[in-house]
Structures are given as C-alpha cells and as structure tokens.
Amino acid sequence: MIICHCQRISDRDIHAAIDWMRASDPAVVITPGRVYRALGKSADCGGCIRLFIQSMRANPNTAVPVELRGLRVQARVLGAKFGKGET
C-alpha cells in the first residue's frame, strides 16, 4: 500500500528500512526522519505522517532498545539523589 504519495513510499519500503536499520544497529532509535533518510528521501507535504507512523508502529523492530528504556526515570532518580531536582 502506498503511504506517501509525494515520495512514492509504500508500507513495504517502510518495513524494509526499519528492518535494515535494526539489523545494522540494534541500539538505534528509529524515527520517521531516519526512515525517510534510509530510503534516500525527505518528507514533503507531511499529509502522510499519521499513516506513516501507523505503518512504523506495526513493525516490531521499532521498539526502543531495552538498554535505552527508562532513561528519564533514571535521570530523575539520580538528580533527586544528588540534589539536582528535575533533569
């Protein structure tokens, strides 16, 4: 299915880019901008972004790597412990 008409990007293209990015770097945080760049394209009108993100979320490889989960919580705990307040 075509997701982005301006740049001719299909859901298959999005999934292939996500799978490639995850295979090449397991710790990468995958964003729509990175998917566009991996495909050698850039966002144009932005009308597709909701469908683009919906397609991305359907791919299990978009999950945030385990090592990066909870970093904000950890920063707050450390900040409170050392008297730095919210970080």
Side-chain angles (χ1 to χ4, degrees):
M1 171 172 62
I2 295 294
I3 302 295
C4 177
H5 288 88
C6 298
Q7 296 294 329
R8 293 182 146 161
I9 298 174
S10 71
D11 57 337
R12 289 181 185 161
D13 297 331
I14 292 169
H15 292 296
I18 290 169
D19 294 341
W20 173 78
M21 284 188 280
R22 182 60 67 215
S24 66
D25 184 0
V28 70
V29 175
I30 298 172
T31 64
R34 286 187 176 176
V35 173
Y36 272 105
R37 285 190 294 279
L39 295 171
K41 302 183 183 226
S42 62
D44 193 7
C45 75
C48 65
I49 197 66
R50 291 182 118 181
L51 192 54
F52 198 97
I53 291 173
Q54 182 180 8
S55 182
M56 286 180 62
R57 286 183 177 160
N59 188 311
N61 284 324
T62 57
V64 174
V66 175
E67 307 84 37
L68 300 177
R69 294 181 193 166
L71 290 179
R72 282 191 179 162
V73 173
Q74 292 173 10
R76 281 189 208 127
V77 169
L78 288 175
K81 181 177 179 181
F82 294 108
K84 297 188 181 191
E86 287 286 320
T87 56

